[in-house]
Amino acid sequence: MSGATGAGATAARVTELPMAKALNAGLRAAMAADDRVLLMGEDIGPLGGVFRITEGLQAEFGARRVLDTPLAESGIVGTAIGLAMRGFRPVCEIQFDGFIFPGFDQITSQLAKLTARHEGTLTLPIVIRVPYGGHIGAVEHHQESPEAYFAHTPGLRLVSPSTPNDAYWMIQEAIRSNDPVMFFEPKSRYWPKGTVDFDAPAAPLHASRVARAGTDVTLLGHGAMVSVLLQAADVAESEGTSAEVIDLRSLSPIDYQPILDSVHKTGRLVVASEAPGFVSIPSEIAATVTEKAFYSLEAPVLRVTGFDAPFPPARLESTYLPDVDRVLDAVDRALVY
Amino acid sequence: MSDDVPALQLLAPDGTFRARGASEEFVPYIEALDDEMLRAFYRDMSLTRAFDIEATNLQRQGEMALWVPSHGQEAAQVGSARAARPQDHLFPSYREHAAAMVRGVDPVDIIRMLRGLTHGGWNPAAHGNFHIYTLVIGSHALHATGYAMGILFDNELRATPARKSTGTKSSTKAVNASDDNEAVIAYFGDGATSQGDVAEAFVFAASYRTPQVFFVQNNHWAISVPVSVQSRTPLYLRGTGYGIPSVQIDGNDVLVSYAVSTKALTAARSGEGPQLIEALTYRMGAHTTSDDPTKYRSHEEHESWAKRDPITRYEKWLRSRGADDAFFAEIAAEAGDLAADIRRRTLALQDPVSDTIFDHVYSEPHPVMSEQKQWLTEYSESFGDAS
Ligand SMILES: Cc1ncc(C[n+]2csc(CCOP(=O)(O)OP(=O)(O)O)c2C)c(N)n1
Ligand SMILES: [Mg+2]
């Protein structure tokens, strides 16, 4: 473990960390700050989770704060609800995106609705961490992007960090939220390092963020897509196009003001995501921006997404997933108008 | 009943008290009760029956979208709910009107849900820790189990090292300490035992050794499907397979329900882990007011269960112990008043205001809720001048 992993580290308060370690530090800080915070999931104890996000936490906080649960996703979410009714703040780890569906009913029919069903007398401060997305060459059910199912469900909040710094701060804010938060971790970004500032909090949980300023076209996405958009903006610049990149950060609710400000300036918007595009987060944003910034638009809002086909075998993932070229193709199409 | 081992029973259908075999150990639980408590059981069952009949009538008269009758299942519910201590948490399905009333829920709050005024109805913390109804079969078994995990974790946190090292079963002091411990009851039906969530609840409960009782009301039907479709073995044997001590009782005998539930709750709160009770009972009415049970079950079956009615049986026994006509007349009058009061208050219920569509979806401010609430207000007001 590197030296500065959050609470207790005094020396290096700004450090280079991969997102995996930043999340680990964020979880540790949240657990140290509030002894009602519990981690629950499959293989998160001695193993530290299949992605090692919880590494060392069971040794530090004990087996009653970091629970290796039975292998049952509905059971994990359903018992987390009961624990939250008891005053705990459970943080559930879903081992892989494609395995969230056995827990779907508890998330959408129970977790999302119980505060309203209790007319506000019950809050459910539960975080569900979901390592999501492709680019890791894995087998079926291990590379999916199921965000839209949950964004469609009232009562849930959805966020997704794209940088180690956001990961460190956003996981702590998600845990402090009194509403259920689905926390989508871009697993292809777990290992690249980035600067984490342990002193300066990141933007609020539900704020979107301009990741790169530009004037000709706005590129919008979340999680792993943000680094693709930034690379695309670099290439576009070398070709004389100035692209603004916005990191969505919050998928529900969506922080529209920075997006609308940007569109008022550029007149062109390209929204990208790894998930299939049909009834997707980019579709929702395209509709809303069209309603709210119609007279600023110089071109239709374009979507760059995974195909409307199941996630393919890994040897085809680079064809399926939106890459720099597909983003630039959309930029070119937007500029034609 | 299709079972090899006779279910535990203290009160025979003809109202005679007779404890045989394995049932004998439960006699002291009843002997410890005074007349007042024994009569309270009768009152609970009778008032629930009156409420249920009145609510069914209200539904038939168009005052509710749906009613879910509890008729026939009062003994199972009253016995178990009366066995619970004030600090215990009860997680019901949607037919536990008797348990709800025992724990202090206003019957009209149940009606509010079925009349389409709310998806909940009461705050469990202010109503005997009786949680709100769950319509998704079996889901709440996991909430109950998670809650019981929380009790367990809290107990461990509170336990001082000294107390931790004390032998568990040694002194009376330890027993008294465990009386104050909390426990949980999860109620669900025979159909629910086929749900994955119930199976997962058994797994989690057994794994963590939670302080809880799974109370299965086997009323022999899941809407129109007989219990034989759900299980080829008696349901209580399911619990055994998960390592959960499990018993089967005559669910129309309020005394055995009380005694066995008391024992199970005591075991649960004393650190012996989860317990399961299968109560054999019968839904005398329709599944809900939307179905016609004559389409799927026989008149003979219905009649055979009518002979085992929990209230008639208990009345006979109370009379044999000296309860007189005056007592029963008094309860009948109270039941009549309750029904009239429920009718009056139901008819006076106001529709909710439209703001409640948005309020409490989130507990913290949410831009979409504010925007849509404001939009709806302005839209509604836009009709104001025209009218
Ligand atoms: C998950 C789910 N599937 C189907 C239904 C529709 N449904 C409502 S009650 C019921 C039967 C439940 O039977 P049981 O568990 O025996 O309880 P009982 O109604 O007999 O008390 C069904 C199928 C439901 N509410 N939830
Ligand atoms: Mg049933």
Side-chain angles (χ1 to χ4, degrees):
Chain A
M1 284 252 168
S2 69
T5 46
T10 46
R13 300 298 303 181
V14 176
T15 210
E16 293 292 308
L17 279 185
M19 185 185 287
K21 298 246 188 258
L23 284 166
N24 181 271
L27 289 169
R28 177 179 289 104
M31 294 185 78
D34 183 351
D35 65 9
R36 302 305 276 177
V37 175
L38 298 179
L39 310 189
M40 310 171 66
E42 297 158 7
D43 306 289
I44 67 168
L47 182 67
V50 293
F51 293 106
R52 309 294 181 270
I53 306 302
T54 57
E55 190 160 54
L57 296 179
Q58 192 183 63
E60 190 171 334
F61 294 99
R64 284 303 194 226
R65 301 281 307 280
V66 182
L67 308 178
D68 264 337
T69 63
L71 206 171
E73 288 74 15
S74 192
I76 292 169
V77 178
T79 56
I81 290 170
L83 282 158
M85 287 172 164
R86 178 78 192 173
F88 287 91
R89 304 182 84 86
V91 183
C92 305
E93 176 172 304
I94 300 296
Q95 198 160 65
F96 286 92
D97 35 56
F99 304 133
I100 198 163
F101 299 106
F104 190 80
D105 175 54
Q106 283 289 341
I107 296 171
T108 56
S109 298
Q110 302 297 328
L111 180 59
K113 294 179 172 175
L114 275 163
T115 293
R117 290 181 56 218
H118 283 82
E119 288 159 19
T121 59
L122 174 75
T123 57
L124 290 170
I126 294 174
V127 176
I128 300 183
R129 295 182 35 241
V130 191
Y132 88 94
H135 300 292
I136 67 163
V139 291
E140 199 183 5
H141 311 296
H142 293 70
Q143 305 223 79
E144 298 177 8
S145 297
E147 304 92 295
Y149 293 106
F150 302 99
H152 188 69
T153 304
L156 302 174
R157 295 172 181 272
L158 272 68
V159 299
S160 181
S162 72
T163 67
N165 194 58
D166 270 352
Y168 174 76
W169 288 105
M170 287 167 75
I171 189 66
Q172 295 179 71
E173 274 201 69
I175 292 169
R176 272 198 299 273
S177 167
N178 285 326
D179 290 324
V181 179
M182 311 262 323
F183 196 89
F184 288 91
E185 301 173 2
K187 61 174 108 73
S188 63
R189 304 303 301 168
Y190 271 155
W191 301 287
K193 284 189 176 181
T195 307
V196 178
D197 184 338
F198 289 108
D199 291 322
L205 188 60
H206 292 293
S208 54
R209 173 181 70 96
V210 177
R212 174 195 170 117
T215 52
D216 301 332
V217 59
T218 305
L219 310 181
L220 178 60
H222 71 271
M225 194 50 67
V226 175
S227 61
V228 174
L229 298 179
L230 288 169
Q231 288 169 48
D234 280 345
V235 177
E237 185 172 39
S238 71
E239 293 169 357
T241 302
S242 166
E244 179 146 302
V245 176
I246 298 183
D247 178 357
L248 206 45
R249 293 174 88 251
S250 176
L251 312 180
S252 178
I254 288 170
D255 178 19
Y256 275 106
Q257 202 50 54
I259 302 169
L260 295 172
D261 290 346
S262 183
V263 169
H264 291 316
K265 182 169 64 177
T266 64
R268 293 176 170 84
L269 176 62
V270 173
V271 195
S273 84
E274 292 185 23
F278 185 73
V279 198
S280 62
I281 288 169
S283 299
E284 174 61 31
I285 292 173
T288 303
V289 169
T290 305
E291 281 178 26
K292 297 198 174 178
F294 187 69
Y295 289 111
S296 297
L297 286 169
E298 303 287 346
V301 179
L302 297 179
R303 289 165 293 167
V304 183
T305 66
F307 295 107
D308 294 325
F311 200 95
R315 301 302 288 240
L316 284 170
E317 70 167 314
S318 61
T319 309
Y320 178 89
L321 290 166
D323 60 4
V324 170
D325 286 336
R326 292 232 308 260
V327 173
L328 289 171
D329 172 69
V331 169
D332 289 346
R333 282 188 285 131
L335 289 169
V336 166
Y337 286 87
Chain B
M1 284 169 243
S2 57
D3 321 295
D4 312 339
V5 188
L8 296 170
Q9 185 188 65
L10 293 173
L11 205 54
D14 66 3
T16 51
F17 190 92
R18 52 152 205 238
R20 295 199 186 130
S23 302
E24 274 176 51
E25 70 159 298
F26 294 99
V27 174
Y29 290 93
I30 304 305
E31 286 172 349
L33 297 176
D34 58 18
D35 262 2
E36 196 185 333
M37 181 58 93
L38 292 171
R39 289 176 184 209
F41 290 178
Y42 181 83
R43 178 176 175 273
D44 294 338
M45 292 196 291
S46 299
L47 296 189
T48 307
R49 181 75 58 95
F51 163 43
D52 188 60
I53 291 169
E54 191 62 32
T56 303
N57 292 341
L58 283 163
Q59 196 283 333
R60 295 288 182 226
Q61 292 156 11
E63 296 298 336
M64 265 181 282
L66 187 75
W67 181 247
V68 189
S70 53
H71 192 141
Q73 300 183 213
E74 297 90 348
Q77 295 177 20
V78 166
S80 53
R82 280 281 177 185
R85 292 179 164 273
Q87 72 269 21
D88 294 342
H89 280 250
L90 283 64
F91 289 76
S93 310
Y94 45 74
R95 202 186 292 285
E96 282 71 37
H97 312 323
M101 287 175 70
V102 168
R103 300 298 282 193
V105 172
D106 179 351
V108 175
D109 280 340
I110 299 175
I111 286 179
R112 288 203 303 127
M113 196 254 276
L114 291 155
R115 193 176 158 91
L117 306 181
T118 173
H119 288 322
W122 57 91
N123 175 6
H127 293 85
N129 299 325
F130 189 82
H131 287 255
I132 60 175
Y133 281 171
T134 301
L135 299 182
V136 186
I137 302 293
S139 290
H140 61 293
L142 283 169
H143 310 159
T145 302
Y147 196 92
M149 285 164 64
I151 293 175
L152 182 81
F153 298 170
D154 278 339
N155 288 348
E156 288 177 359
L157 273 175
R158 269 199 296 270
T160 61
R163 199 172 137 198
K164 253 188 187 165
S165 59
T166 313
T168 42
K169 293 178 184 168
S170 52
S171 65
T172 17
K173 219 175 178 184
V175 173
N176 286 338
S178 75
D179 273 0
D180 299 331
N181 287 350
E182 295 156 85
V184 167
I185 304 181
Y187 288 98
F188 48 84
D190 45 294
T193 62
S194 294
Q195 284 286 349
D197 276 4
V198 170
E200 292 184 26
F202 290 162
V203 170
F204 276 66
S207 178
Y208 292 100
R209 291 180 61 77
T210 50
Q212 80 185 105
V213 174
F214 293 104
F215 195 95
V216 186
Q217 288 171 85
N218 177 358
N219 63 9
H220 291 81
W221 292 90
I223 310 187
S224 64
V225 177
V227 63
S228 57
V229 173
Q230 315 295 343
S231 180
R232 291 291 179 191
T233 63
L235 292 174
Y236 76 99
L237 294 181
R238 291 263 180 92
T240 312
Y242 290 89
I244 298 173
S246 303
V247 293
Q248 191 183 51
I249 65 168
D250 178 345
N252 285 8
D253 170 358
V254 69
L255 296 180
V256 85
S257 177
Y258 170 81
V260 173
S261 300
T262 304
K263 184 189 174 197
L265 283 164
T266 304
R269 75 176 92 252
S270 313
E272 291 172 34
Q275 317 284 317
L276 183 145
I277 298 168
E278 178 193 3
L280 297 171
T281 182
Y282 197 74
R283 196 192 77 211
M284 295 305 293
H287 168 71
T288 68
T289 43
S290 307
D291 70 300
D292 171 8
T294 62
K295 281 200 166 157
Y296 51 81
R297 58 188 200 187
S298 71
H299 179 68
E300 292 70 38
E301 181 179 290
H302 185 273
E303 285 312 292
S304 82
W305 279 96
K307 293 193 186 101
R308 300 183 219 177
D309 182 73
I311 302 182
T312 315
R313 174 189 320 199
Y314 194 58
E315 176 176 340
K316 280 188 188 147
W317 182 68
L318 282 184
R319 285 189 186 276
S320 76
R321 291 174 50 95
D324 57 10
D325 286 346
F327 168 72
F328 293 105
E330 186 188 313
I331 299 291
E334 189 182 353
D337 291 348
L338 175 75
D341 180 61
I342 287 169
R343 167 170 295 267
R344 185 184 50 75
R345 289 197 293 135
T346 298
L347 299 180
L349 287 170
Q350 302 288 316
D351 280 354
V353 296
S354 63
D355 279 2
T356 56
I357 293 173
F358 308 103
D359 294 342
H360 311 308
V361 175
Y362 299 88
S363 69
E364 295 177 359
H366 192 283
V368 178
M369 294 303 100
S370 331
E371 274 167 34
Q372 295 188 357
K373 184 167 157 176
Q374 192 186 338
W375 182 89
L376 180 59
T377 306
E378 288 167 8
Y379 175 74
S380 308
E381 283 169 5
S382 73
F383 296 95
D385 296 347
S387 65

